[in-house]
Amino acid sequence: MTGWLSATWEASWRSLQYFNLYRLVIACLLLLATVFPQDWTSRLNLGSNTGLFLLIVVYAAAVAGGLLFSMYEQRRFNLQLTIQVGMDVSVVGVLMFVGGGVGSGLGVLLLVSLAAASLVGRGRLVLLYAALATLVVLAIQAYVVLLGLLDAASLFQAGLLSAGFFATAVLARLLGQRAMTNEDLARRRGVALDNQIRISQQVVEHMQDGVLIVGRDGKVVRSNPVAQAMLSLPGAGACVLAGALPRLAAAFELWATGRGPDSLRFSAPDGRELDARFARTQSSDGECLVFLEDAERIKARAQQLKLAALGRLTASIAHEIRNPLSAISHAGELLREERRGEMQDRLLRILGDNVIRLDRIVSDILELGRQSRATPSWLNLDEFCRNFVEHLASSEGLAADVIRIEGEAPAGLCFDRAHLHRVLWNLVGNALRHAGRDSGAVCLRIVPAPAEGRVELHVTDQGPGIPEELREQVFEPFFTTHHQGTGLGLFIARELCAANGARLELLPSARGAHFVITGRYDTCPLPEANAASAAN
């Protein structure tokens, strides 16, 4: 039973202010009771008494002063509360004496005062208040009995009232202690919840994936910065999903009604491919989550994993393959010098061709791990393409009209010269392999890009094109449809473009393959930035 006396307690000035405000209202009512006609307040036995009127006026003034002190002088809480309770006991005791003791019914005012004081006061002070009220009531009742104004049996009624004082004080204190405990628990839980919200918000804001919180009405209630950048959404305020992204909104509505899948691949306003995944929450408002992932970043991550595995493989076997390959090539050359017959010459040619192919595969694999740092410079794209076509035609014995160059005006491109030469060699070489060497089989076309400061170099051919089911795999390492290909040409070409701050894409076309290189012509990125881009 001592826990309620020694439990943690904090002064509640707001509760003390309410307590004083209640006492001020009671003082005003008592003051009016002395002014009203006697037949209205006859049960109180107060009557018209100048001394009693002055006492109540002084009491009301003291209560008002206590209210002001509790508002503007918030110090010594226990002292202020004890003074106020002592005033109540003294004034109500005098009123009870004037009114004829316990029978006046004014003792109820002490019960309310003790209950209110017990809710905000300390445990030991609560017992002091109850004991003080008990002594005053018993003393007044005993004095009235001794004067012969009341029967001695009224002492029993005073005793019951005094017992009620202690019961009210203890029960009110227990109730107040429980209220304070619940308040402290709510405060600590509020702090924990606020910390959790802050941490969750920071995690969401720093996620590499976009997050949208969508309400039942299709409005985007909240979004993290990554989603805002992906979808070009406003940074603050709600927006309607259907107005910003109709396709995503339609898929979300189908999923919400149970008629569609929980994922979607769509194009963002800037042209990037995004994967959206829908998920429900336990929110009472029925809000749902939309997770957004950059499909290109996922593909790049998968390619990085493949490159890591490839690097470990090439580090262990590339040089081991090249050494016996050189020995086989040298032995073939020695056998060719003997001239033993036509059959032997044919077998030696097969041997030599496969040795050359294996050496090219090993060279391409080693090139993946030692790509040189890009040093982009401003190139006259029209002039570069013409020089490249002349060099390729002389090397492959092509006619002058096999490769066409189109472009209304000379355009520039910020690109490493050696890297661009290798990229075009892979693209045009593939085009010639599939389209043949007829007139106009391959076309290089230079056009300005829609984005400001960029230029596009299109490489198209008149071949059969790339089947739709293979378009997603053409840039993957070791993927090839040619029996003598290594499957690394297009992959290396795209990596070289990324190292120079450019982009290599395969576009849909009605006939043949259509590749496009998109790069900058206004400013050339620094070599360090390109190296970092290539590493990523």
Side-chain angles (χ1 to χ4, degrees):
M1 289 296 295
T2 60
W4 65 283
L5 293 173
S6 59
T8 303
W9 175 88
E10 293 182 3
S12 178
W13 291 100
R14 180 62 62 84
S15 299
L16 180 59
Q17 293 167 13
Y18 289 146
F19 175 52
N20 287 329
L21 183 60
Y22 154 75
R23 296 170 59 244
L24 183 60
V25 172
I26 295 298
C28 293
L29 293 177
L30 291 175
L31 189 62
L32 292 176
T34 61
V35 179
F36 286 160
Q38 180 64 27
D39 54 346
W40 288 18
T41 60
S42 58
R43 296 182 63 86
L44 298 177
N45 297 323
L46 296 179
S48 298
N49 189 323
T50 304
L52 190 62
F53 178 79
L54 292 177
L55 175 65
I56 296 176
V57 169
V58 173
Y59 173 69
V63 171
L67 177 61
L68 294 177
F69 262 88
S70 64
M71 294 174 60
Y72 301 106
E73 191 67 20
Q74 296 185 353
R75 294 184 301 173
R76 298 185 177 182
F77 180 88
N78 293 329
L79 179 60
Q80 291 192 33
L81 179 62
T82 302
I83 292 175
Q84 300 300 325
V85 174
M87 290 172 51
D88 286 352
V89 173
S90 301
V91 173
V92 174
V94 173
L95 295 177
M96 289 178 63
F97 177 75
V98 174
V102 179
S104 64
L106 294 175
V108 177
L109 296 178
L110 287 179
L111 284 174
V112 177
S113 295
L114 287 176
S118 300
L119 288 174
V120 298
R122 281 184 177 272
R124 292 178 178 84
L125 289 177
V126 168
L127 295 179
L128 173 63
Y129 303 152
L132 181 62
T134 298
L135 291 176
V136 170
V137 169
L138 291 178
I140 292 174
Q141 195 68 19
Y143 183 71
V144 173
V145 171
L146 291 176
L147 292 177
L149 300 177
L150 292 176
D151 187 5
S154 62
L155 288 175
F156 180 73
Q157 185 178 358
L160 291 178
L161 181 61
S162 300
F165 290 159
F166 280 95
T168 300
V170 172
L171 292 177
R173 174 55 186 167
L174 292 176
L175 180 61
Q177 183 61 43
R178 174 170 295 186
M180 285 188 290
T181 302
N182 293 334
E183 181 181 357
D184 181 67
L185 178 62
R187 180 184 59 81
R188 288 188 283 108
R189 287 184 176 179
V191 172
L193 179 61
D194 182 68
N195 292 334
Q196 184 177 0
I197 291 176
R198 292 175 182 271
I199 294 174
S200 300
Q201 184 176 2
Q202 186 174 5
V203 170
V204 171
E205 289 180 353
H206 289 79
M207 287 179 60
Q208 294 184 354
D209 297 332
V211 179
L212 299 177
I213 302 177
V214 184
R216 292 178 178 176
D217 54 357
K219 287 186 177 180
V220 179
V221 180
R222 191 175 302 171
S223 59
N224 67 340
V226 177
Q228 296 167 11
M230 285 181 174
L231 304 178
S232 301
L233 296 177
C239 65
V240 181
L241 191 62
L245 298 162
R247 185 181 176 189
L248 180 61
F252 176 79
E253 183 177 358
L254 289 175
W255 168 80
T257 56
R259 296 178 295 165
D262 61 351
S263 61
L264 171 71
R265 173 164 291 188
F266 66 102
S267 296
D270 59 357
R272 290 185 298 175
E273 284 192 349
L274 302 179
D275 288 333
R277 181 169 55 86
F278 311 125
R280 302 186 187 276
T281 66
Q282 300 298 324
S283 171
S284 59
D285 295 332
E287 296 171 338
C288 298
L289 295 175
V290 179
F291 297 97
L292 302 173
E293 294 181 332
D294 191 343
E296 295 180 358
R297 184 169 60 86
I298 297 176
K299 293 178 181 178
R301 187 183 306 167
Q303 290 177 353
Q304 288 176 3
L305 294 176
K306 291 182 180 180
L307 281 177
L310 179 62
R312 291 191 294 268
L313 177 64
T314 56
S316 60
I317 66 173
H319 294 288
E320 298 297 331
I321 292 178
R322 188 161 255 178
N323 289 334
L325 198 62
S326 298
I328 294 174
S329 177
H330 182 66
E333 293 295 333
L334 293 178
L335 290 174
R336 187 175 288 107
E337 294 178 358
E338 296 184 5
R339 301 284 184 180
R340 294 188 177 182
E342 192 67 28
M343 177 62 70
Q344 187 182 28
D345 290 341
R346 187 170 68 86
L347 295 176
L348 289 174
R349 282 196 301 272
I350 295 175
L351 178 64
D353 292 342
N354 284 275
V355 167
I356 294 174
R357 181 190 174 194
L358 288 175
D359 185 69
R360 185 171 67 252
I361 294 175
V362 173
S363 298
D364 289 342
I365 292 176
L366 292 176
E367 184 66 24
L368 291 176
R370 63 186 184 200
Q371 291 181 11
S372 59
R373 175 178 296 183
T375 54
S377 59
W378 194 89
L379 305 176
N380 187 313
L381 198 53
D382 182 75
E383 179 182 354
F384 181 88
C385 290
R386 296 187 185 279
N387 293 334
F388 169 79
V389 170
E390 291 179 2
H391 176 71
L392 181 64
S394 61
S395 299
E396 301 292 333
L398 301 176
D401 58 351
V402 174
I403 304 176
R404 302 194 323 271
I405 300 177
E406 298 179 358
E408 298 180 358
L413 178 64
C414 291
F415 218 99
D416 185 286
R417 181 178 295 272
H419 288 180
L420 183 58
H421 186 277
R422 180 162 186 181
V423 170
L424 288 180
W425 192 278
N426 285 330
L427 295 178
V428 176
N430 288 339
L432 293 174
R433 185 182 303 116
H434 294 91
R437 303 193 175 193
D438 298 333
S439 176
V442 181
C443 177
L444 302 179
R445 184 160 49 92
I446 305 168
V447 297
E452 184 178 356
R454 291 185 173 269
V455 65
E456 295 179 351
L457 175 58
H458 294 255
V459 181
T460 59
D461 61 64
Q462 300 298 318
I466 301 175
E468 186 66 29
E469 63 272 12
L470 301 180
R471 296 178 66 87
E472 294 291 333
Q473 300 175 307
V474 294
F475 290 110
E476 294 184 2
F478 302 110
F479 175 79
T480 181
T481 59
H482 194 267
H483 66 281
Q484 291 188 346
T486 63
L488 295 173
L490 291 178
F491 175 76
I492 294 176
R494 190 177 66 171
E495 292 297 310
L496 292 177
C497 288
N500 286 270
R503 187 171 68 249
L504 175 62
E505 298 175 290
L506 174 62
L507 301 182
S509 60
R511 180 181 180 185
H514 185 180
F515 291 89
V516 59
I517 302 172
T518 305
R520 305 197 67 89
Y521 69 83
D522 52 353
T523 57
C524 292
L526 297 176
E528 290 80 2
N530 293 316
S533 176
N536 293 333

